[in-house]
C-alpha cells in the first residue's frame, strides 16, 4: 500500500465527504478502480435507478457492463478474475451502493457468496467450469442459507441432503434469496448425516424451483426469491468438498459483510450530498437553510459519522490485505456502518422536507433499502452479540 499523503495533497474535502483524505491512502490502482466505478454509477445507474425502484425492476441490462469493468469476483485470483486488493473491493462496493443497495447486493452475492465459495471450497473442475463464466456474468449465482423458519440461527437449518449411491437427494426450502430466480447455479447449504455441507444446485435440475417474492418495500431494484427442493438429485461432483460445518457458509458471509460495511458508506454519502445541495439552495426565513445552526450540526454529524465509518472500512481492508481481519472485526464494521447509513438516510430524508418522500430524491430509496441491509447478512442484534461474545467469551444468542 503506497500512501500519497503529502502536505500539498492534504485538503479537507466536505463534498465527498473525504474529510480525512482517505484518497491519499489509496494506491494509484485503487484510485483508478474507484474512478471507473464512480463513472459507471454516475452515467449508467443514477439516471435510471429511481424508476427501477418504482417499477420493482432489477436493471439486468447493466450486468454485462459490470462484468466488463471486472466487478465480479474482483479479489479472486486466476479464472478471469481481477485479483484486486480488499480495499479496491471495498471501494467498488461503496460506489455501487452510492447508486443503489440492489446493485451492490447483486455484486456481493455473485462475488462473495457464490464465486468465493467455489474458489475457496470447490474442486478444480468446479472452478474451471463456473468461475470464468461467472466473472463474465454468463452464469449468475445465488446463495441459499436462510430458511422460512428463521435466518439468524442457520445451524438449525432443516434442508437435508441424504446420500444415495454416488448422488445426494436434497429436500427443503430457502427463503429471501437474492438473485434466486435469475440464478444458473445456487450454492445451497444443507444438513447431512455428517453436518452442514454446500452443494451446487443447477437451474433445471428436476425438483428444484425458484419463485420471486413480490410486494417488497425495500430493495425493490433487486430480485429476491424462495427456493424449493423436492427430492433434487445432485451428483457428488456438485458438492463443495472444502466446506464442512457452519464455518463453510459463515466464511462466505465474512467476505460479503466486509463489502456491505463499505457499501453502506456509499449510500450515506449519496444522502449527505443530496441534503447538502438542498440546504444550500432552500431559502427560508430570509436565508438559505445552510445558515441555520441546527442544519449545520446535522451536516457536521453526518460528516463525523461517515468519516468514522470510512476509517473503520479502510483499516479493515488493510488488515484483510495483510491476511488478517477477524470475523468479529467484520461484524463490528457491518453493524456500525449500516446503522450509520440508515441514520443518515433518515435524517437526510427529513432535511429535504416533503420533497424527500418522492422517489426523485435518493434518501428515501436508500433508507428503505437499508432496512434490508441492516437485516441481511446478520441482523444488527446478531452482530452486537457476536462482538459481545468476543468480549466476554459467552454466547448470548
Ligand atoms: P459458531 O459456533 O459461532 O460458529 C460455527 C463455526 O463457524 C466459525 N465462524 C465463522 N467463520 C467465518 N466467518 C464467520 N463470520 C464466522 N462465525 C463463526 C466458528 O469459528 C465455528 O468454527 P468451527 O471450526 O469451530 O466449527 O456458530 P453459531 O451457531 O453459534 O452461530 C453464530 C452466529 C449466530 C453468529 C451465526 O449463526 C450467524 O452469523 N447468524 C446470522 C446468519 C446470517 O448472517 N445469515 C445471512 C444469510 S446470507 C444473506 O443474508 C445474503 S444477503 C446478500 C445480499 O443481497 O447482499
Ligand atoms: P429472524 O432470525 O427470525 O430474526 C427476527 C428478529 O429477532 C430480528 O430482529 C433478530 O435480530 C432478532 N433475533 C434473532 N435472534 C436473536 C437472539 N438470539 N437474541 C435477540 N434477538 C434475536 N439469505 C440468504 O441465505 N441468501 C440471500 O441471498 C439473502 N438475501 C436477502 C435479501 C433480502 C432483501 C433480505 C431482506 C434478506 C435476505 N436474506 C438472504 C435473509 C437474511 O439473511 C435474513 O433475513 C436474516 O439473516 C435474518 O433472518 P430472519 O429474517 O429469519 O429473522
Amino acid at each position: 500500500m503506497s500512501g500519497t499523503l503529502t502536505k500539498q495533497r492534504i485538503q479537507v474535502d466536505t463534498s465527498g465527504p473525504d474529510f480525512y483524505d482517505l484518497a491519499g491512502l489509496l494506491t494509484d490502482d485503487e484510485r483508478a478502480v474507484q474512478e471507473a466505478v464512480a463513472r459507471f454509477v454516475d452515467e449508467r445507474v443514477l439516471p435510471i435507478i429511481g424508476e427501477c425502484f418504482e417499477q420493482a425492476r432489477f436493471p439486468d441490462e447493466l450486468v454485462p457492463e459490470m462484468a466488463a469493468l471486472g466487478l465480479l469476483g474482483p479479489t479472486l485470483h486466476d479464472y478471469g478474475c481481477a485479483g484486486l486488493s480488499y480495499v479496491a473491493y471495498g471501494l467498488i462496493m461503496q460506489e455501487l451502493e452510492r447508486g443503489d443497495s440492489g446493485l451492490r447486493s447483486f455484486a456481493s452475492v455473485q462475488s462473495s457468496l457464490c464465486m468465493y465459495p467455489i474458489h475457496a471450497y470447490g474442486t478444480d473442475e468446479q472452478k474451471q467450469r463456473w468461475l470464468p463464466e461467472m466473472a463474465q456474468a454468463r452464469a449468475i449465482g445465488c446463495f441459499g442459507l436462510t430458511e422460512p423458519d428463521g435466518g439468524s440461527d442457520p445451524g438449525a437449518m432443516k434442508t437435508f441432503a441424504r446420500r444415495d449411491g454416488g448422488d445426494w437427494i436434497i429436500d427443503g426450502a430457502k427463503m429471501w434469496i437474492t438473485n434466486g430466480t435469475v440464478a444458473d447455479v445456487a450454492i445451497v447449504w444443507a444438513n447431512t448425516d455428517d453436518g452442514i455441507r454446500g452443494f451446487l444446485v443447477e437451474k433445471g435440475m428436476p425438483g428444484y424451483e425458484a419463485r420471486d417474492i413480490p410486494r417488497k418495500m425495500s430493495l425493490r431494484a433487486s430480485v429476491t426469491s424462495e427456493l424449493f427442493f423436492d427430492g433434487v438429485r445432485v451428483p457428488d461432483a456438485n458438492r463443495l468438498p472444502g466446506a464442512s460445518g457452519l464455518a463453510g457458509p459463515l466464511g462466505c458471509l465474512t467476505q460479503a459483510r466486509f463489502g456491505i460495511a463499505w457499501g453502506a458508506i456509499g449510500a450515506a454519502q449519496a444522502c449527505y450530498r443530496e441534503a447538502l445541495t438542498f440546504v444550500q439552495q432552500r431559502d427560508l426565513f430570509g436565508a438559505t437553510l445552510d445558515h441555520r445552526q441546527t442544519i449545520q450540526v446535522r451536516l457536521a454529524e453526518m460528516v463525523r459519522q461517515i468519516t468514522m465509518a470510512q476509517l473503520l472500512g479502510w483499516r479493515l481492508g488493510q488488515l484483510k490485505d495483510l491476511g488478517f481481519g477477524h470475523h468479529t472485526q467484520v461484524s463490528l464494521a457491518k453493524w456500525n456502518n449500516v446503522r450509520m447509513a440508515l441514520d443518515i438516510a433518515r435524517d437526510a430524508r427529513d432535511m429535504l422536507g416533503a420533497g424527500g418522500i418522492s422517489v426523485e430524491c435518493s434518501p428515501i430509496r436508500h433508507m428503505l433499502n437499508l432496512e434490508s441491509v441492516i437485516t441481511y447478512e446478520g441482523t444488527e442484534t446478531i452482530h452486537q452479540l457476536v462482538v459481545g461474545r468476543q468480549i466476554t467469551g459467552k454466547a448470548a444468542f
Side-chain angles (χ1 to χ4, degrees):
M1 177 99 17
S2 65
T4 57
L5 208 59
T6 65
K7 270 197 176 154
Q8 284 96 338
R9 238 201 95 74
I10 294 177
Q11 49 183 306
V12 178
D13 167 13
T14 55
S15 65
D18 184 13
F19 210 70
Y20 273 55
D21 193 25
L22 250 93
L25 293 171
L26 305 178
T27 63
D28 289 344
D29 283 351
E30 288 163 350
R31 261 197 292 276
V33 167
Q34 180 175 15
E35 280 165 21
V37 187
R39 207 174 313 117
F40 165 71
V41 168
D42 288 341
E43 292 173 5
R44 305 288 294 136
V45 179
L46 295 182
I48 61 165
I49 197 64
E51 204 174 306
C52 289
F53 185 90
E54 207 176 353
Q55 296 170 352
R57 180 180 81 80
F58 173 67
D60 52 6
E61 68 273 23
L62 299 181
V63 169
E65 295 177 49
M66 290 168 71
L69 281 168
L71 309 189
L72 306 179
T75 59
L76 302 180
H77 291 271
D78 304 322
Y79 307 100
C81 302
L84 299 177
S85 70
Y86 275 97
V87 169
Y89 176 56
L91 291 163
I92 290 170
M93 295 299 168
Q94 177 184 301
E95 293 306 324
L96 288 178
E97 197 147 1
R98 185 169 62 74
D100 192 82
S101 302
L103 224 59
R104 197 271 307 134
S105 256
F106 177 88
S108 289
V109 170
Q110 182 83 347
S111 303
S112 291
L113 296 183
C114 297
M115 294 174 72
Y116 172 82
I118 294 172
H119 197 273
Y121 309 137
T123 61
D124 281 346
E125 198 190 347
Q126 290 165 351
K127 292 180 206 184
Q128 298 285 0
R129 174 169 174 205
W130 289 108
L131 293 177
E133 290 294 290
M134 295 178 90
Q136 286 306 312
R138 286 191 294 263
I140 303 300
C142 71
F143 179 88
L145 181 64
T146 303
E147 301 200 345
D149 289 341
S152 296
D153 183 14
M157 70 175 65
K158 292 182 180 149
T159 298
F160 196 86
R162 75 179 157 80
R163 197 75 206 237
D164 185 40
D167 297 335
W168 296 83
I169 308 292
I170 304 182
D171 284 288
K174 300 287 175 181
M175 182 90 179
W176 301 110
I177 306 305
T178 302
N179 295 347
T181 51
V182 296
D184 301 286
V185 60
I187 310 287
V188 176
W189 300 95
N191 225 330
T192 70
D193 288 332
D194 245 352
I196 292 169
R197 295 287 183 272
F199 298 89
L200 302 172
V201 176
E202 298 174 40
K203 193 176 201 160
M205 283 182 160
Y208 170 45
E209 194 193 340
R211 279 185 224 148
D212 273 343
I213 300 178
R215 310 186 72 189
K216 289 179 299 167
M217 300 300 286
S218 172
L219 274 180
R220 288 174 61 76
S222 171
V223 173
T224 316
S225 320
E226 286 179 89
L227 310 182
F228 301 94
F229 309 93
D230 183 7
V232 182
R233 181 174 288 277
V234 176
D236 191 49
N238 280 31
R239 183 175 54 87
L240 293 169
S244 141
L246 201 52
L250 291 181
C252 310
L253 295 183
T254 299
Q255 301 295 110
R257 290 166 176 173
F258 168 79
I260 290 175
W262 278 80
I265 297 168
Q269 285 177 320
C271 296
Y272 160 80
R273 289 182 200 175
E274 202 157 325
L276 176 63
T277 304
F278 180 80
V279 298
Q280 284 169 335
Q281 292 166 2
R282 188 69 153 183
D283 204 327
L284 292 172
F285 299 100
T288 49
L289 277 174
D290 58 346
H291 287 80
R292 305 295 168 206
Q293 287 184 351
T294 55
I295 293 290
Q296 289 194 11
V297 169
R298 289 162 81 179
L299 292 170
E301 177 65 11
M302 288 181 185
V303 169
R304 180 176 76 85
Q305 295 281 1
I306 291 171
T307 302
M308 291 191 300
Q310 286 170 322
L311 291 167
L312 207 56
W314 184 80
R315 174 61 178 157
L316 193 58
Q318 189 189 41
L319 284 173
K320 281 184 78 70
D321 282 324
L322 292 169
F324 306 114
H326 194 258
H327 65 77
T328 57
Q329 293 171 320
V330 176
S331 278
L332 190 142
K334 195 265 182 183
W335 157 26
N336 181 78
N337 290 11
V338 178
R339 166 56 59 188
M340 170 283 299
L342 185 53
D343 290 347
I344 286 178
R346 286 173 176 163
D347 205 30
R349 207 295 309 146
D350 175 74
M351 284 164 79
L352 297 177
I357 71 161
S358 166
V359 76
E360 309 228 330
C361 301
S362 77
I364 191 151
R365 176 169 51 78
H366 284 296
M367 183 187 103
L368 290 167
N369 283 339
L370 289 160
E371 291 292 346
S372 283
V373 181
I374 205 162
T375 290
Y376 68 34
E377 297 276 3
T379 66
E380 181 174 62
T381 303
I382 288 297
H383 291 296
Q384 290 166 332
L385 295 177
V386 164
V387 175
R389 178 174 65 178
Q390 182 70 14
I391 297 165
T392 64
K394 297 174 178 68
F397 302 108

